[in-house]
Amino acid sequence: MIKRVGKQTICTENKPKIISTMSVVGPKEGEGPLKDYFDIILQDDTDGQKSYEKAESSIANRAINECIKKANLKEDDINYLIAGDLLNQLTASNFAVRSLSIPYIGVYGACSTMALSLGLAAMIIAGDFANYALAATSSHFSTAERQFRTPLEMGSQRSPTSQWTVTGAGAMLLGRNGNFPYISYVTTGKVKDYGESDPNNMGAAMAPAAVDTIKQHLQDTGRKPSDYDIIATGDLGKHGKEITEKLLLEYNYDIKNRYIDCGVEIYDLKKQNVNCGGSGCGCSAVVTSGYIYKNMLKGKFKRVLLVSTGALMSTTSYQQGETIPGIAHAVSIEFGGQSR
Amino acid sequence: MIKRVGKQTICTENKPKIISTMSVVGPKEGEGPLKDYFDIILQDDTDGQKSYEKAESSIANRAINECIKKANLKEDDINYLIAGDLLNQLTASNFAVRSLSIPYIGVYGACSTMALSLGLAAMIIAGDFANYALAATSSHFSTAERQFRTPLEMGSQRSPTSQWTVTGAGAMLLGRNGNFPYISYVTTGKVKDYGESDPNNMGAAMAPAAVDTIKQHLQDTGRKPSDYDIIATGDLGKHGKEITEKLLLEYNYDIKNRYIDCGVEIYDLKKQNVNCGGSGCGCSAVVTSGYIYKNMLKGKFKRVLLVSTGALMSTTSYQQGETIPGIAHAVSIEFGGQSR
């Protein structure tokens, strides 16, 4: 009766389908290696708005609206919209949603928000509470930089372990029917804090959470890493990715041959001056909505484990000497039969 | 098959039970008219911590832990913890949860967060995804004041329409069995923005959202206001309460004889210098966990509609000239047979 396996994972009986996705990215992301997978590439990262914050809301709004249109549905058909972002009090999402007449659930998991919102949307469909539920997240380099770090005008030097917040919004619309990639399992993460306190090294702060959630997901489902074509962490970056791979080996999980990090994939780390790679709620959102989903439709990936990762700090917690707790949520997406 | 009624409301088949609640409040709330209903009244609003932010996390952590203990359960028994607060990046909740080994879903709905988290917890139980799910929220006068308004040390004069952020944390633990108040319906709200832009008059900004959600809930369920013993909005305050009552009359819903606002109830508005009343995520959380729940257990209230209300702005959105979007989420709680 209870739709659960193991300790932290739910299984879906009716297999919520991802019936459409939409990715909107900024110019820099549109020059990266995944450019061909994005639906909309902005020429101007202000999207014609007067502030970067308004721009982020505008981009998020576009992703949501276009995602609904792509599925040939109307706003009124959508039972729930689950969204979140990095801005204080979720204003990017709140203002993106303001013009929409859809019941709204605001969520915050820092950069883990895409998997968090997608997992909740899957539970809403799998719990028979809705016909359609939409999950969306966004981030913007210029809103994040000035909120979390320094005014852009300062032109501060960036540390080698720093990451570049993705300007982009991703939306994924779940429904009950149709032949689409579907969500089979959702593993909700726990907060993990191993004492990392450098806000310019978030990959290291989030890696233990990614390790914990991947390990727990595999234990709960009885799957092996090789049961997945792709295991994709959200935005650990180059450094956090190395840590994750290494730590998982200590638990005898070798994910090397199928492991990607959305933050590493989205930019050309050698040419695009992003240090360890991309970050932000929008990072795993657009990589999943774009690259991963489209490759699943093509049959290239049959089973993907999305593990978005978040660093749960604020400038206040940092200034008060706190360490950086991390969290990771995992969603298993499948299409076209078992991969092996 | 779909557990829905009307346009925005889900109904629960297995009726998730609220098996325990916990309310922790500050000294000022402990001097108010509801003092006898709170479980823990702090002597010191820092709770022995070095900053108000750490104090808020500490209070939230106590509410969660004591709520689990009261139900004779252990941390490990709880499948989901859904929590949120007003602080940037939800740090009050994130740090409250850090020491707990419970899968964590962070939510943000400003002061609507108690009904939002409680509604999600109910859906998680009603969707058969968990045996136990805990919803918790917190707020703190001193963290909110310095984050949203002015440094406490300034001693700014407060406007007549302003409200006083409640120092407190409430937790409600849902389970599947037992003879306890249960959740029958959850109505998830939409964002409503009627152009109010004064951050010292949040009641007016949130009232249209409360009206919309109450109206929709009654339409969806086919209920009349008189089917409820109590309709309790979250923290509209004296002014917002008047607006809500008046606007609902325009739709022919007279809620007067059963309408309370948690922000009006928690303080003595004449003596406690709080202007329009209490506010903050903690407000409806402690009033529901304390006053409402305990009166339901006693049989005094048989059907209660909790309608927590949130103002979805940030200091940045305000400084950029934005208006204040509002949202309200409703949860119907019942116990001991129909009230009429």
Side-chain angles (χ1 to χ4, degrees), chain A residues 5-329:
Chain A
V5 292
K7 291 185 85 165
Q8 257 170 265
T9 302
I10 66 106
C11 48
T12 62
E13 274 171 10
N14 61 0
K15 308 208 179 300
K17 322 298 185 275
I18 305 175
I19 64 170
S20 90
T21 67
M22 181 58 54
S23 50
V24 183
V25 299
K28 190 181 180 92
E29 294 70 24
E31 288 166 5
L34 304 185
K35 60 176 188 253
D36 295 339
Y37 292 98
F38 299 129
D39 296 295
I40 297 173
I41 298 174
L42 302 173
Q43 298 299 310
D44 164 14
D45 73 350
T46 69
D47 202 19
Q49 301 294 316
K50 284 187 182 165
S51 74
Y52 291 120
E53 288 74 19
K54 288 181 202 280
E56 187 179 336
S57 285
S58 169
I59 296 169
N61 181 279
R62 281 172 74 155
I64 295 165
N65 271 315
E66 295 299 323
C67 187
I68 299 171
K69 266 192 218 161
K70 211 200 232 181
N72 287 317
L73 291 170
K74 293 187 303 283
E75 202 179 302
D76 202 40
D77 297 316
I78 315 304
N79 303 116
Y80 292 95
L81 171 50
I82 304 148
D85 59 271
L86 295 175
L87 296 191
N88 297 343
Q89 287 74 54
L90 293 197
T91 45
S93 304
N94 297 340
F95 286 93
V97 164
R98 178 171 55 169
S99 62
L100 300 167
S101 184
I102 307 175
Y104 169 53
I105 295 169
V107 290
Y108 184 78
C111 308
S112 74
T113 306
M114 190 68 240
L116 176 62
S117 59
L118 187 62
L120 274 177
M123 288 166 81
I124 282 174
I125 299 284
D128 292 324
F129 298 118
N131 290 312
Y132 298 104
L134 199 149
T137 67
S138 64
S139 56
H140 194 298
F141 173 75
S142 300
T143 63
E145 206 62 17
R146 66 185 183 182
Q147 180 179 276
F148 289 111
R149 293 172 195 97
T150 52
L152 291 168
E153 293 78 357
M154 272 179 71
S156 294
Q157 199 176 4
R158 300 167 64 78
S159 89
T161 52
S162 73
Q163 293 172 240
W164 189 276
T165 305
V166 164
T167 296
M172 306 181 83
L173 179 54
L174 303 196
R176 303 168 67 83
N177 302 307
N179 188 28
F180 296 102
Y182 60 86
I183 293 172
S184 50
Y185 293 105
V186 179
T187 304
T188 304
K190 296 174 178 176
V191 178
K192 293 281 154 183
D193 190 337
Y194 280 51
E196 169 64 41
S197 62
D198 178 2
N200 290 309
N201 191 358
M202 305 262 241
M206 297 188 285
V211 169
D212 189 69
T213 298
I214 294 170
K215 181 167 66 77
Q216 193 63 49
H217 174 83
L218 295 172
Q219 284 175 5
D220 285 352
T221 57
R223 288 186 169 176
K224 305 177 296 295
S226 59
D227 287 326
Y228 285 100
D229 297 314
I230 296 285
I231 295 176
T233 49
D235 56 349
L236 297 176
K238 193 171 157 250
H239 186 49
K241 188 185 175 212
E242 283 164 13
I243 298 173
T244 299
E245 205 173 297
K246 201 174 157 188
L247 285 175
L248 275 168
L249 265 182
E250 291 182 15
Y251 295 103
N252 290 319
Y253 289 120
D254 182 357
I255 63 170
K256 194 170 184 173
N257 295 330
R258 59 209 76 248
Y259 180 26
I260 65 168
D261 180 75
C262 299
V264 172
E265 299 296 316
I266 193 167
Y267 297 120
D268 184 328
L269 268 55
K270 286 189 188 132
K271 292 184 190 157
Q272 287 192 289
N273 187 30
V274 293
N275 295 329
C276 270
S279 67
C281 294
C283 180
S284 63
V286 298
V287 174
T288 309
S289 308
Y291 175 70
I292 292 176
Y293 184 76
K294 290 179 183 176
N295 272 318
M296 293 193 87
L297 286 181
K298 280 184 205 162
K300 191 175 162 196
F301 307 149
K302 288 182 173 130
R303 266 197 196 162
V304 173
L305 186 65
L306 169 68
V307 190
S308 300
T309 42
L312 301 175
M313 42 94 67
S314 74
T315 52
T316 306
S317 70
Y318 169 67
Q319 284 159 6
Q320 292 186 1
E322 275 293 0
T323 52
I324 305 174
I327 196 161
H329 301 294

Side-chain angles (χ1 to χ4, degrees), chain B:
Chain B
M1 171 152 187
I2 294 272
K3 306 180 188 100
R4 294 182 68 84
V5 292
K7 291 186 83 165
Q8 257 170 267
T9 301
I10 66 105
C11 48
T12 61
E13 273 171 9
N14 62 0
K15 306 205 179 305
K17 319 307 184 266
I18 306 174
I19 64 170
S20 91
T21 68
M22 180 59 54
S23 50
V24 183
V25 298
K28 190 181 180 94
E29 293 71 24
E31 289 165 3
L34 304 185
K35 60 176 187 252
D36 294 338
Y37 292 98
F38 299 128
D39 296 295
I40 297 173
I41 297 175
L42 302 173
Q43 298 300 309
D44 164 14
D45 73 350
T46 69
D47 204 19
Q49 302 294 315
K50 283 186 183 167
S51 74
Y52 290 121
E53 288 74 19
K54 288 181 202 279
E56 188 179 337
S57 286
S58 168
I59 296 169
N61 181 279
R62 282 172 74 154
I64 295 165
N65 271 315
E66 295 298 323
C67 187
I68 299 171
K69 266 191 216 162
K70 211 200 233 180
N72 288 317
L73 291 170
K74 293 186 304 280
E75 205 179 300
D76 203 40
D77 296 317
I78 315 304
N79 304 116
Y80 292 95
L81 171 49
I82 303 147
D85 59 89
L86 296 175
L87 296 191
N88 297 343
Q89 288 73 52
L90 292 198
T91 44
S93 304
N94 298 340
F95 285 93
V97 165
R98 177 171 56 169
S99 62
L100 300 167
S101 184
I102 307 175
Y104 169 53
I105 295 169
V107 290
Y108 184 79
C111 307
S112 75
T113 306
M114 190 68 240
L116 176 62
S117 59
L118 187 62
L120 275 176
M123 288 166 80
I124 282 173
I125 299 284
D128 292 324
F129 297 117
N131 290 313
Y132 298 104
L134 199 150
T137 68
S138 64
S139 56
H140 194 298
F141 173 75
S142 299
T143 63
E145 207 62 17
R146 66 185 184 184
Q147 179 179 278
F148 289 112
R149 295 174 194 97
T150 52
L152 291 168
E153 293 78 357
M154 272 179 72
S156 294
Q157 199 175 5
R158 300 168 63 79
S159 89
T161 52
S162 72
Q163 293 171 240
W164 189 278
T165 306
V166 164
T167 297
M172 305 180 85
L173 178 54
L174 303 196
R176 303 169 67 83
N177 302 307
N179 187 29
F180 296 102
Y182 60 86
I183 294 171
S184 50
Y185 294 105
V186 179
T187 304
T188 304
K190 296 174 177 176
V191 178
K192 293 281 156 183
D193 190 338
Y194 280 51
E196 169 64 41
S197 62
D198 177 2
N200 289 308
N201 192 359
M202 305 260 242
M206 297 188 284
V211 169
D212 189 68
T213 299
I214 294 170
K215 182 168 66 73
Q216 193 63 50
H217 174 83
L218 295 172
Q219 284 175 5
D220 286 351
T221 57
R223 288 185 169 176
K224 305 177 296 295
S226 60
D227 288 324
Y228 285 101
D229 297 314
I230 297 284
I231 294 175
T233 49
D235 55 348
L236 297 176
K238 193 171 157 248
H239 186 48
K241 187 185 175 209
E242 284 164 11
I243 298 172
T244 299
E245 205 173 295
K246 200 174 158 188
L247 286 176
L248 276 168
L249 265 182
E250 292 181 14
Y251 295 103
N252 290 319
Y253 289 120
D254 182 356
I255 62 170
K256 193 170 187 176
N257 296 329
R258 57 208 79 250
Y259 180 27
I260 65 168
D261 180 74
C262 299
V264 173
E265 300 296 314
I266 193 168
Y267 297 119
D268 183 329
L269 268 55
K270 286 190 184 131
K271 292 184 189 158
Q272 287 191 288
N273 188 29
V274 294
N275 295 329
C276 269
S279 67
C281 294
C283 181
S284 63
V286 299
V287 173
T288 309
S289 307
Y291 176 69
I292 292 175
Y293 184 76
K294 290 180 183 176
N295 272 317
M296 293 193 87
L297 286 180
K298 281 183 205 163
K300 191 175 163 195
F301 307 150
K302 286 181 174 133
R303 266 196 197 162
V304 173
L305 186 66
L306 170 68
V307 190
S308 300
T309 43
L312 301 174
M313 40 94 66
S314 74
T315 52
T316 306
S317 70
Y318 169 67
Q319 285 158 5
Q320 292 186 1
E322 275 293 359
T323 52
I324 304 175
I327 196 161
H329 300 294
V331 176
S332 167
I333 311 173
E334 313 193 14
F335 192 50
Q338 298 204 353
S339 51
R340 59 215 64 245

